[in-house]
Amino acid sequence: MRLTPKTPEVRVPRLIGLMAVDARETADARGVLLAAPDRPDFHLTVVDYVVRQYPPPGSEVPRGAVVTVWFDLGDGEGGAGVREPRLPGPPSGGMRRELDEPGDPFEVLR
């Protein structure tokens, strides 16, 4: 554990991308506390990765301030989503569209 000088203000470390156990150690070394509203068992969480934090990295906060971290993106944020065609689809025609220029090559003669 790295000790920081006992100044009244500290900079918030970058916690995004760290595993929960590493985020706790980093926060402790920098003099801030962590809270995780989406993990009631945060003190037991080990391998989940931090995806968001507030205040943002580099912000100056009082020593002992709480930094909130999230492990889930939440509703409507990120994720792979459903991979399906979106409407409207591409225009129909494909290769035939190139033949529709000056005249119809398949014109029916009567």
Side-chain angles (χ1 to χ4, degrees):
M1 173 166 63
R2 187 177 74 159
L3 297 175
T4 58
K6 298 294 181 187
T7 58
E9 300 282 322
V10 294
R11 292 211 180 263
V12 175
R14 179 172 178 79
L15 303 171
I16 298 169
L18 296 180
M19 288 192 305
V21 66
D22 296 331
R24 282 193 300 268
E25 288 176 6
T26 301
D28 186 46
R30 294 288 183 95
V32 294
L33 303 173
L34 288 186
D38 64 339
R39 291 289 189 274
D41 57 345
F42 176 60
H43 63 284
L44 300 175
T45 306
V46 177
V47 295
D48 289 344
Y49 288 88
V50 176
V51 295
R52 256 188 319 172
Q53 77 178 68
Y54 184 81
S59 301
E60 273 197 21
V61 295
R63 180 175 294 282
V66 176
V67 175
T68 305
V69 294
W70 289 268
F71 295 95
D72 286 331
L73 289 173
D75 295 336
E77 293 184 36
V82 176
R83 301 290 184 219
E84 62 184 51
R86 299 204 174 191
L87 297 178
S92 61
M95 294 296 285
R96 288 187 308 176
R97 296 183 79 190
E98 293 180 18
L99 300 175
D100 291 335
E101 285 182 0
D104 186 1
F106 301 108
E107 187 175 320
V108 178
L109 300 174
R110 293 183 200 210

